Amino acid sequence: MKKLLIATGGGDCPGLNAVIRGICKRAKKTKEWEVFGSMEAFNGLFTDPLRIIKLTSKKTAGIHVRGGTILKTTNKSDPLHYPVKDENGNVTFVDKTKDYVDRIKELGFDAVINIGGDGSQKISKAFFDHGLPIIGVPKTIDNDLSATDMTFGFQTAVQIASDSFDKLVTTAESHHRVMIMEVMGRDAGWIALHTAIAGGAEICLIPEIPYDINKLVKKIESRYFEGRGFVNIVIAEGAKAKEGTIVSREGDEGSRHVRLGGVALQLSQQLKDAGVHPEIRETILGHVQRGGTPTAFDRVLASLFGVKAFEMLLEGDFGKMVAFKNNTFVSVPLEDATKENNVVGKDSFIVNGAKGLGIIFGD
């Protein structure tokens, strides 16, 4: 029997379990492959005892409806930038790619499927360059991988955000308030933009379009008459004013990334300082966007990603990532998958269409 290793890295995402199940179900049909999972990305390879589990039919039965990942995950211990602490407590980052590849081969694995976003697929590319047969599966609620039309988890995140936004609309109208809802989106504003259109927001603020606070004030004032009116705003966590910076704080130890969050509070203060008189309330959705049962769309997409990934393995199509392009499933080189982020175009139809619906971006 040949041995396949699956890893899930980066942030958790609705649909991860559906991918794992899809891979395992397709592998079972061959009767030639055993499938294993490394716990917490590739960290399970280096623990004592090893934290590698055999993914039997019993372990994967029915998991496609569950959020999160049965293999757990982490956004620390990146092999390309592995955190090493010296005797003084200072942390430096070193490349341990070769150590990871050697370990995987030493444990007798014939191939790897790595499920993750941009950072995870850069790891996949490095592993492949060191001679490891590996295939990537795109995962991110931000939908910011340019080599695929859609990543699983995105539609679920939008649905969660839209459901929350709908509830804020009624309370905003009842109290004549300005409601600000902050959603995820570090560099790409897809979740915010889709939520704004679905929910009928008046203002949508995204990382790709820095906003002018005075234009927001003008829009808000146009919605009020003798104290009556209301406004709903969707803002991505990576959005910023034209003269401002993103709201962030230092990341956890072992992580190179800063932590975003709190831009809704900053925007609220900016509006007050600019003379907005109606009451303003802020809601930060945070990690609820990552949790819970994936939508039917994401279950289908993730399941078929899993099947396609294993069929690529059977064909020896390594060094590639599964992609959903033009309503079909294809493979793309890992280099192309990580070349650039998929961001919202300022002059794209979806932005202009949103403006046609009366949504402003503050540009």
Side-chain angles (χ1 to χ4, degrees):
M1 296 286 284
K2 296 179 181 178
K3 293 172 63 178
L4 167 65
L5 182 69
I6 300 176
T8 54
D12 63 307
C13 176
L16 278 167
N17 285 324
V19 179
I20 295 168
R21 175 177 173 271
I23 294 168
C24 292
K25 277 192 163 291
R26 183 61 183 86
K28 186 179 179 181
K29 293 176 69 68
T30 69
K31 300 183 179 3
E32 297 176 354
W33 285 83
E34 291 180 304
V35 185
F36 298 81
S38 173
M39 301 299 288
E40 295 178 8
F42 294 102
N43 286 354
L45 301 171
F46 294 94
T47 56
D48 185 19
L50 291 174
R51 297 182 66 211
I52 294 175
I53 63 171
K54 187 172 182 178
L55 294 170
T56 62
S57 296
K58 185 176 181 179
K59 280 197 185 321
T60 58
I63 63 172
H64 60 297
V65 302
R66 291 167 51 185
T69 164
I70 62 169
L71 297 179
K72 315 307 177 189
T73 188
T74 181
N75 53 13
K76 302 176 185 177
S77 305
D78 177 354
L80 302 179
H81 306 91
Y82 192 86
V84 177
K85 187 181 293 187
D86 63 23
E87 58 186 15
N88 297 319
N90 298 315
V91 176
T92 57
F93 295 93
V94 299
D95 187 346
K96 297 193 71 171
T97 302
K98 187 177 185 302
D99 294 339
Y100 275 70
V101 171
D102 289 346
R103 183 62 168 158
I104 292 168
K105 291 181 177 179
E106 176 188 311
L107 293 171
F109 290 105
D110 299 283
V112 174
I113 294 179
N114 190 20
I115 311 169
D118 178 70
S120 294
Q121 300 317 327
K122 286 178 179 175
I123 292 170
S124 298
K125 174 66 166 60
F127 282 4
F128 180 70
D129 290 343
H130 278 75
L132 186 69
I134 191 167
I135 291 164
V137 177
K139 171 237 67 172
T140 167
I141 66 169
D142 290 337
N143 199 41
D144 60 355
L145 283 171
S146 60
T148 181
D149 292 343
M150 191 77 67
T151 58
F152 71 86
F154 169 66
Q155 291 289 349
T156 301
V158 169
Q159 189 64 57
I160 291 169
S162 297
D163 288 345
S164 300
F165 186 83
D166 289 346
K167 294 174 175 63
L168 292 177
V169 170
T170 57
T171 188
E173 183 178 12
S174 298
H175 288 274
H176 307 295
R177 284 175 175 155
V178 175
M179 302 296 289
I180 303 172
M181 188 176 80
E182 178 182 325
V183 299
M184 288 184 169
R186 178 181 294 266
D187 301 305
W190 293 110
I191 295 176
L193 180 51
H194 279 245
T195 301
I197 293 173
E202 284 73 47
I203 297 172
C204 178
L205 305 177
I206 59 177
E208 296 88 342
I209 306 177
Y211 59 87
D212 181 337
I213 194 68
N214 294 316
K215 292 186 178 181
L216 305 189
V217 172
K218 184 177 180 181
K219 176 69 173 180
I220 292 170
E221 288 177 344
S222 72
R223 295 272 302 173
Y224 280 85
F225 179 74
E226 294 183 351
R228 300 292 184 265
F230 66 98
V231 174
N232 282 273
I233 301 172
V234 182
I235 183 169
E237 62 185 354
K240 60 183 181 297
K242 288 184 177 180
E243 305 300 327
T245 58
I246 62 171
V247 177
S248 64
R249 57 192 183 280
E250 187 176 346
D252 297 330
E253 184 176 349
S255 174
R256 297 182 306 117
H257 301 293
V258 298
R259 292 182 62 187
L260 272 60
V263 68
L265 300 173
Q266 181 190 68
L267 175 63
S268 177
Q269 191 60 52
Q270 289 173 338
L271 292 173
K272 292 171 185 174
D273 293 343
V276 170
H277 297 296
E279 290 184 347
I280 303 174
R281 295 291 185 270
E282 312 85 18
T283 298
I284 301 174
L285 289 191
H287 287 80
V288 299
Q289 295 160 90
R290 293 189 177 280
T293 300
T295 61
F297 182 94
D298 276 338
R299 289 185 224 175
V300 172
L301 184 63
S303 297
L304 296 180
F305 270 163
V307 171
K308 177 65 176 178
F310 190 80
E311 291 182 346
M312 288 166 58
L313 176 152
L314 294 177
E315 296 165 2
D317 197 16
F318 298 111
K320 304 282 187 65
M321 185 188 79
V322 185
F324 185 62
K325 299 282 286 184
N326 298 321
N327 210 35
T328 190
F329 293 84
V330 298
S331 63
V332 296
L334 285 167
E335 184 177 2
D336 293 344
T338 58
K339 188 181 298 182
E340 59 184 5
N341 283 349
N342 176 34
V343 297
V344 178
K346 296 179 182 179
D347 297 317
S348 61
F349 176 78
I350 190 168
V351 168
N352 288 325
K355 290 179 178 179
L357 293 169
I359 299 171
I360 75 159
F361 294 82
D363 55 339

